[in-house]
mmCIF file of all heavy atoms in Angstrom:
data_model
loop_
_atom_site.group_PDB
_atom_site.id
_atom_site.type_symbol
_atom_site.label_atom_id
_atom_site.label_comp_id
_atom_site.label_asym_id
_atom_site.label_seq_id
_atom_site.Cartn_x
_atom_site.Cartn_y
_atom_site.Cartn_z
ATOM 1 N N VAL A 275 -2.399 1.859 26.388
ATOM 2 C CA VAL A 275 -2.076 0.765 25.465
ATOM 3 C C VAL A 275 -3.114 0.643 24.353
ATOM 4 O O VAL A 275 -3.064 -0.295 23.557
ATOM 5 C CB VAL A 275 -1.989 -0.585 26.224
ATOM 6 C CG1 VAL A 275 -0.850 -0.558 27.215
ATOM 7 C CG2 VAL A 275 -3.310 -0.894 26.934
ATOM 8 N N SER A 276 -4.054 1.578 24.282
ATOM 9 C CA SER A 276 -5.123 1.475 23.299
ATOM 10 C C SER A 276 -5.029 2.524 22.204
ATOM 11 O O SER A 276 -5.800 2.497 21.255
ATOM 12 C CB SER A 276 -6.489 1.608 23.994
ATOM 13 O OG SER A 276 -6.617 2.868 24.608
ATOM 14 N N GLY A 277 -4.105 3.473 22.328
ATOM 15 C CA GLY A 277 -4.057 4.559 21.363
ATOM 16 C C GLY A 277 -3.369 4.220 20.059
ATOM 17 O O GLY A 277 -3.444 4.967 19.091
ATOM 18 N N GLY A 278 -2.664 3.082 20.013
ATOM 19 C CA GLY A 278 -2.029 2.674 18.770
ATOM 20 C C GLY A 278 -0.842 3.512 18.362
ATOM 21 O O GLY A 278 -0.524 3.615 17.182
ATOM 22 N N ARG A 279 -0.134 4.134 19.323
ATOM 23 C CA ARG A 279 0.995 4.992 18.977
ATOM 24 C C ARG A 279 2.349 4.323 19.186
ATOM 25 O O ARG A 279 3.277 4.572 18.427
ATOM 26 C CB ARG A 279 0.925 6.292 19.787
ATOM 27 C CG ARG A 279 -0.181 7.213 19.307
ATOM 28 C CD ARG A 279 -0.372 8.410 20.201
ATOM 29 N NE ARG A 279 -1.274 9.379 19.598
ATOM 30 C CZ ARG A 279 -2.598 9.263 19.571
ATOM 31 N NH1 ARG A 279 -3.178 8.208 20.118
ATOM 32 N NH2 ARG A 279 -3.353 10.179 18.993
ATOM 33 N N LEU A 280 2.478 3.497 20.207
ATOM 34 C CA LEU A 280 3.767 2.858 20.460
ATOM 35 C C LEU A 280 4.123 1.884 19.351
ATOM 36 O O LEU A 280 5.263 1.840 18.887
ATOM 37 C CB LEU A 280 3.741 2.139 21.812
ATOM 38 C CG LEU A 280 5.031 1.411 22.201
ATOM 39 C CD1 LEU A 280 6.194 2.394 22.303
ATOM 40 C CD2 LEU A 280 4.847 0.666 23.517
ATOM 41 N N ARG A 281 3.165 1.093 18.896
ATOM 42 C CA ARG A 281 3.443 0.077 17.885
ATOM 43 C C ARG A 281 3.986 0.670 16.584
ATOM 44 O O ARG A 281 5.041 0.234 16.098
ATOM 45 C CB ARG A 281 2.184 -0.744 17.605
ATOM 46 C CG ARG A 281 2.430 -1.920 16.643
ATOM 47 C CD ARG A 281 1.125 -2.504 16.156
ATOM 48 N NE ARG A 281 0.372 -1.557 15.362
ATOM 49 C CZ ARG A 281 0.584 -1.349 14.060
ATOM 50 N NH1 ARG A 281 1.524 -2.017 13.429
ATOM 51 N NH2 ARG A 281 -0.130 -0.467 13.408
ATOM 52 N N PRO A 282 3.316 1.675 15.962
ATOM 53 C CA PRO A 282 3.889 2.198 14.715
ATOM 54 C C PRO A 282 5.222 2.900 14.908
ATOM 55 O O PRO A 282 6.070 2.876 14.014
ATOM 56 C CB PRO A 282 2.806 3.164 14.206
ATOM 57 C CG PRO A 282 1.987 3.509 15.393
ATOM 58 C CD PRO A 282 2.008 2.289 16.262
ATOM 59 N N ALA A 283 5.422 3.532 16.072
ATOM 60 C CA ALA A 283 6.695 4.200 16.324
ATOM 61 C C ALA A 283 7.820 3.180 16.430
ATOM 62 O O ALA A 283 8.874 3.321 15.787
ATOM 63 C CB ALA A 283 6.606 5.040 17.594
ATOM 64 N N VAL A 284 7.611 2.146 17.242
ATOM 65 C CA VAL A 284 8.639 1.115 17.413
ATOM 66 C C VAL A 284 8.849 0.353 16.114
ATOM 67 O O VAL A 284 9.992 0.117 15.683
ATOM 68 C CB VAL A 284 8.237 0.157 18.548
ATOM 69 C CG1 VAL A 284 9.192 -1.035 18.604
ATOM 70 C CG2 VAL A 284 8.230 0.889 19.882
ATOM 71 N N PHE A 285 7.752 -0.038 15.471
ATOM 72 C CA PHE A 285 7.853 -0.788 14.225
ATOM 73 C C PHE A 285 8.565 0.034 13.161
ATOM 74 O O PHE A 285 9.416 -0.472 12.424
ATOM 75 C CB PHE A 285 6.454 -1.177 13.753
ATOM 76 C CG PHE A 285 6.427 -2.031 12.520
ATOM 77 C CD1 PHE A 285 7.358 -3.041 12.340
ATOM 78 C CD2 PHE A 285 5.476 -1.830 11.540
ATOM 79 C CE1 PHE A 285 7.344 -3.840 11.208
ATOM 80 C CE2 PHE A 285 5.446 -2.610 10.405
ATOM 81 C CZ PHE A 285 6.380 -3.619 10.237
ATOM 82 N N GLY A 286 8.236 1.330 13.082
ATOM 83 C CA GLY A 286 8.887 2.177 12.094
ATOM 84 C C GLY A 286 10.375 2.307 12.336
ATOM 85 O O GLY A 286 11.183 2.189 11.407
ATOM 86 N N ALA A 287 10.763 2.566 13.591
ATOM 87 C CA ALA A 287 12.185 2.729 13.905
ATOM 88 C C ALA A 287 12.963 1.441 13.649
ATOM 89 O O ALA A 287 14.044 1.461 13.043
ATOM 90 C CB ALA A 287 12.347 3.170 15.356
ATOM 91 N N MET A 288 12.417 0.317 14.116
ATOM 92 C CA MET A 288 13.107 -0.958 13.919
ATOM 93 C C MET A 288 13.212 -1.312 12.442
ATOM 94 O O MET A 288 14.257 -1.773 11.960
ATOM 95 C CB MET A 288 12.368 -2.070 14.671
ATOM 96 C CG MET A 288 12.356 -1.924 16.171
ATOM 97 S SD MET A 288 14.014 -1.936 16.876
ATOM 98 C CE MET A 288 13.622 -1.823 18.616
ATOM 99 N N ASP A 289 12.127 -1.077 11.724
ATOM 100 C CA ASP A 289 12.129 -1.400 10.298
ATOM 101 C C ASP A 289 13.115 -0.519 9.547
ATOM 102 O O ASP A 289 13.837 -0.984 8.653
ATOM 103 C CB ASP A 289 10.722 -1.225 9.726
ATOM 104 C CG ASP A 289 10.538 -1.959 8.411
ATOM 105 O OD1 ASP A 289 11.380 -2.814 8.081
ATOM 106 O OD2 ASP A 289 9.550 -1.684 7.709
ATOM 107 N N GLY A 290 13.160 0.770 9.915
ATOM 108 C CA GLY A 290 14.112 1.657 9.268
ATOM 109 C C GLY A 290 15.549 1.243 9.523
ATOM 110 O O GLY A 290 16.387 1.238 8.606
ATOM 111 N N LEU A 291 15.846 0.897 10.774
ATOM 112 C CA LEU A 291 17.198 0.451 11.116
ATOM 113 C C LEU A 291 17.570 -0.824 10.373
ATOM 114 O O LEU A 291 18.612 -0.898 9.705
ATOM 115 C CB LEU A 291 17.300 0.223 12.620
ATOM 116 C CG LEU A 291 17.528 1.464 13.487
ATOM 117 C CD1 LEU A 291 17.153 1.178 14.934
ATOM 118 C CD2 LEU A 291 18.985 1.905 13.397
ATOM 119 N N VAL A 292 16.721 -1.843 10.498
ATOM 120 C CA VAL A 292 17.050 -3.144 9.892
ATOM 121 C C VAL A 292 17.105 -3.037 8.376
ATOM 122 O O VAL A 292 18.010 -3.592 7.732
ATOM 123 C CB VAL A 292 16.023 -4.205 10.336
ATOM 124 C CG1 VAL A 292 16.266 -5.519 9.595
ATOM 125 C CG2 VAL A 292 16.106 -4.439 11.838
ATOM 126 N N THR A 293 16.139 -2.321 7.783
ATOM 127 C CA THR A 293 16.101 -2.210 6.328
ATOM 128 C C THR A 293 17.371 -1.578 5.779
ATOM 129 O O THR A 293 18.003 -2.103 4.849
ATOM 130 C CB THR A 293 14.880 -1.384 5.885
ATOM 131 O OG1 THR A 293 13.682 -2.068 6.265
ATOM 132 C CG2 THR A 293 14.882 -1.172 4.381
ATOM 133 N N ASN A 294 17.780 -0.440 6.347
ATOM 134 C CA ASN A 294 18.950 0.227 5.782
ATOM 135 C C ASN A 294 20.263 -0.422 6.195
ATOM 136 O O ASN A 294 21.240 -0.374 5.447
ATOM 137 C CB ASN A 294 18.939 1.715 6.148
ATOM 138 C CG ASN A 294 18.652 2.572 4.927
ATOM 139 O OD1 ASN A 294 18.192 2.074 3.897
ATOM 140 N ND2 ASN A 294 18.944 3.857 5.017
ATOM 141 N N ILE A 295 20.301 -1.030 7.379
ATOM 142 C CA ILE A 295 21.502 -1.791 7.740
ATOM 143 C C ILE A 295 21.701 -2.939 6.759
ATOM 144 O O ILE A 295 22.801 -3.165 6.239
ATOM 145 C CB ILE A 295 21.402 -2.320 9.187
ATOM 146 C CG1 ILE A 295 21.533 -1.164 10.186
ATOM 147 C CG2 ILE A 295 22.484 -3.368 9.459
ATOM 148 C CD1 ILE A 295 21.242 -1.567 11.614
ATOM 149 N N ALA A 296 20.607 -3.670 6.498
ATOM 150 C CA ALA A 296 20.697 -4.796 5.570
ATOM 151 C C ALA A 296 20.978 -4.322 4.151
ATOM 152 O O ALA A 296 21.762 -4.932 3.410
ATOM 153 C CB ALA A 296 19.399 -5.605 5.616
ATOM 154 N N LEU A 297 20.356 -3.209 3.761
ATOM 155 C CA LEU A 297 20.571 -2.686 2.412
ATOM 156 C C LEU A 297 22.015 -2.236 2.222
ATOM 157 O O LEU A 297 22.661 -2.558 1.212
ATOM 158 C CB LEU A 297 19.616 -1.508 2.175
ATOM 159 C CG LEU A 297 19.599 -0.891 0.774
ATOM 160 C CD1 LEU A 297 19.187 -1.916 -0.267
ATOM 161 C CD2 LEU A 297 18.646 0.303 0.739
ATOM 162 N N ILE A 298 22.543 -1.513 3.195
ATOM 163 C CA ILE A 298 23.929 -1.047 3.117
ATOM 164 C C ILE A 298 24.895 -2.231 3.135
ATOM 165 O O ILE A 298 25.895 -2.260 2.404
ATOM 166 C CB ILE A 298 24.221 -0.080 4.276
ATOM 167 C CG1 ILE A 298 23.490 1.240 4.048
ATOM 168 C CG2 ILE A 298 25.726 0.172 4.422
ATOM 169 C CD1 ILE A 298 23.556 2.190 5.225
ATOM 170 N N ALA A 299 24.592 -3.229 3.970
ATOM 171 C CA ALA A 299 25.453 -4.412 4.019
ATOM 172 C C ALA A 299 25.464 -5.143 2.688
ATOM 173 O O ALA A 299 26.518 -5.578 2.202
ATOM 174 C CB ALA A 299 24.987 -5.351 5.133
ATOM 175 N N GLY A 300 24.279 -5.275 2.080
ATOM 176 C CA GLY A 300 24.206 -5.979 0.802
ATOM 177 C C GLY A 300 24.920 -5.241 -0.311
ATOM 178 O O GLY A 300 25.706 -5.832 -1.068
ATOM 179 N N VAL A 301 24.680 -3.939 -0.407
ATOM 180 C CA VAL A 301 25.322 -3.145 -1.448
ATOM 181 C C VAL A 301 26.828 -3.029 -1.190
ATOM 182 O O VAL A 301 27.646 -3.148 -2.097
ATOM 183 C CB VAL A 301 24.670 -1.751 -1.532
ATOM 184 C CG1 VAL A 301 25.411 -0.871 -2.528
ATOM 185 C CG2 VAL A 301 23.204 -1.866 -1.926
ATOM 186 N N GLY A 302 27.186 -2.814 0.098
ATOM 187 C CA GLY A 302 28.602 -2.738 0.437
ATOM 188 C C GLY A 302 29.314 -4.052 0.192
ATOM 189 O O GLY A 302 30.476 -4.072 -0.242
ATOM 190 N N GLY A 303 28.630 -5.164 0.456
ATOM 191 C CA GLY A 303 29.228 -6.466 0.187
ATOM 192 C C GLY A 303 29.478 -6.697 -1.284
ATOM 193 O O GLY A 303 30.370 -7.472 -1.666
ATOM 194 N N GLY A 304 28.702 -6.009 -2.129
ATOM 195 C CA GLY A 304 28.906 -6.125 -3.569
ATOM 196 C C GLY A 304 30.070 -5.305 -4.080
ATOM 197 O O GLY A 304 30.414 -5.376 -5.266
ATOM 198 N N GLY A 305 30.685 -4.486 -3.197
ATOM 199 C CA GLY A 305 31.881 -3.747 -3.564
ATOM 200 C C GLY A 305 31.652 -2.409 -4.238
ATOM 201 O O GLY A 305 32.558 -1.901 -4.906
ATOM 202 N N VAL A 306 30.485 -1.803 -4.071
ATOM 203 C CA VAL A 306 30.234 -0.508 -4.711
ATOM 204 C C VAL A 306 30.954 0.596 -3.944
ATOM 205 O O VAL A 306 31.360 0.427 -2.792
ATOM 206 C CB VAL A 306 28.724 -0.206 -4.767
ATOM 207 C CG1 VAL A 306 27.982 -1.308 -5.495
ATOM 208 C CG2 VAL A 306 28.156 -0.010 -3.368
ATOM 209 N N GLY A 307 31.071 1.754 -4.572
ATOM 210 C CA GLY A 307 31.724 2.883 -3.943
ATOM 211 C C GLY A 307 30.832 3.556 -2.914
ATOM 212 O O GLY A 307 29.620 3.314 -2.836
ATOM 213 N N SER A 308 31.444 4.437 -2.119
ATOM 214 C CA SER A 308 30.724 5.114 -1.040
ATOM 215 C C SER A 308 29.574 5.961 -1.567
ATOM 216 O O SER A 308 28.498 6.016 -0.971
ATOM 217 C CB SER A 308 31.681 5.991 -0.240
ATOM 218 O OG SER A 308 32.708 5.222 0.343
ATOM 219 N N ARG A 309 29.793 6.637 -2.682
ATOM 220 C CA ARG A 309 28.752 7.507 -3.229
ATOM 221 C C ARG A 309 27.519 6.709 -3.625
ATOM 222 O O ARG A 309 26.384 7.101 -3.337
ATOM 223 C CB ARG A 309 29.308 8.263 -4.434
ATOM 224 C CG ARG A 309 28.385 9.344 -4.945
ATOM 225 C CD ARG A 309 29.091 10.202 -5.983
ATOM 226 N NE ARG A 309 28.211 11.242 -6.480
ATOM 227 C CZ ARG A 309 28.571 12.150 -7.382
ATOM 228 N NH1 ARG A 309 29.813 12.148 -7.862
ATOM 229 N NH2 ARG A 309 27.724 13.069 -7.796
ATOM 230 N N THR A 310 27.741 5.581 -4.293
ATOM 231 C CA THR A 310 26.622 4.719 -4.675
ATOM 232 C C THR A 310 25.933 4.158 -3.453
ATOM 233 O O THR A 310 24.705 4.045 -3.400
ATOM 234 C CB THR A 310 27.119 3.563 -5.564
ATOM 235 O OG1 THR A 310 27.762 4.104 -6.715
ATOM 236 C CG2 THR A 310 25.973 2.666 -5.991
ATOM 237 N N LEU A 311 26.704 3.808 -2.446
ATOM 238 C CA LEU A 311 26.132 3.256 -1.215
ATOM 239 C C LEU A 311 25.242 4.279 -0.511
ATOM 240 O O LEU A 311 24.142 3.947 -0.056
ATOM 241 C CB LEU A 311 27.253 2.788 -0.293
ATOM 242 C CG LEU A 311 26.850 1.913 0.892
ATOM 243 C CD1 LEU A 311 27.972 0.936 1.225
ATOM 244 C CD2 LEU A 311 26.532 2.753 2.116
ATOM 245 N N VAL A 312 25.713 5.521 -0.430
ATOM 246 C CA VAL A 312 24.902 6.566 0.209
ATOM 247 C C VAL A 312 23.633 6.815 -0.597
ATOM 248 O O VAL A 312 22.545 6.963 -0.028
ATOM 249 C CB VAL A 312 25.719 7.872 0.350
ATOM 250 C CG1 VAL A 312 24.824 9.018 0.803
ATOM 251 C CG2 VAL A 312 26.860 7.679 1.336
ATOM 252 N N LEU A 313 23.755 6.882 -1.909
ATOM 253 C CA LEU A 313 22.579 7.086 -2.761
ATOM 254 C C LEU A 313 21.572 5.956 -2.561
ATOM 255 O O LEU A 313 20.358 6.199 -2.447
ATOM 256 C CB LEU A 313 23.007 7.157 -4.230
ATOM 257 C CG LEU A 313 21.872 7.303 -5.253
ATOM 258 C CD1 LEU A 313 21.100 8.595 -5.000
ATOM 259 C CD2 LEU A 313 22.427 7.275 -6.673
ATOM 260 N N THR A 314 22.057 4.732 -2.485
ATOM 261 C CA THR A 314 21.173 3.589 -2.250
ATOM 262 C C THR A 314 20.494 3.696 -0.891
ATOM 263 O O THR A 314 19.291 3.444 -0.761
ATOM 264 C CB THR A 314 21.979 2.282 -2.323
ATOM 265 O OG1 THR A 314 22.612 2.182 -3.601
ATOM 266 C CG2 THR A 314 21.073 1.079 -2.115
ATOM 267 N N GLY A 315 21.272 4.076 0.136
ATOM 268 C CA GLY A 315 20.702 4.200 1.466
ATOM 269 C C GLY A 315 19.656 5.295 1.556
ATOM 270 O O GLY A 315 18.606 5.116 2.198
ATOM 271 N N VAL A 316 19.901 6.427 0.920
ATOM 272 C CA VAL A 316 18.924 7.527 0.943
ATOM 273 C C VAL A 316 17.665 7.125 0.180
ATOM 274 O O VAL A 316 16.540 7.427 0.610
ATOM 275 C CB VAL A 316 19.554 8.800 0.334
ATOM 276 C CG1 VAL A 316 18.494 9.884 0.160
ATOM 277 C CG2 VAL A 316 20.666 9.316 1.241
ATOM 278 N N ALA A 317 17.846 6.460 -0.958
ATOM 279 C CA ALA A 317 16.680 5.997 -1.712
ATOM 280 C C ALA A 317 15.864 5.005 -0.889
ATOM 281 O O ALA A 317 14.630 5.037 -0.879
ATOM 282 C CB ALA A 317 17.131 5.349 -3.028
ATOM 283 N N GLY A 318 16.564 4.120 -0.170
ATOM 284 C CA GLY A 318 15.857 3.168 0.687
ATOM 285 C C GLY A 318 15.129 3.867 1.809
ATOM 286 O O GLY A 318 14.014 3.473 2.190
ATOM 287 N N LEU A 319 15.729 4.917 2.354
ATOM 288 C CA LEU A 319 15.084 5.689 3.426
ATOM 289 C C LEU A 319 13.788 6.324 2.924
ATOM 290 O O LEU A 319 12.732 6.195 3.549
ATOM 291 C CB LEU A 319 16.047 6.764 3.925
ATOM 292 C CG LEU A 319 15.637 7.632 5.121
ATOM 293 C CD1 LEU A 319 16.887 8.217 5.776
ATOM 294 C CD2 LEU A 319 14.708 8.779 4.726
#
């Protein structure tokens, strides 16, 4: 529990999931096309 590896791994995975889920939801809610949505998601990644 002292090596500091679990925290950045978990934090990174959770942040990546929540960030792009929320980003895709926001952009998709605005009615953009699939191509724009994918481009936005990749840029966010």
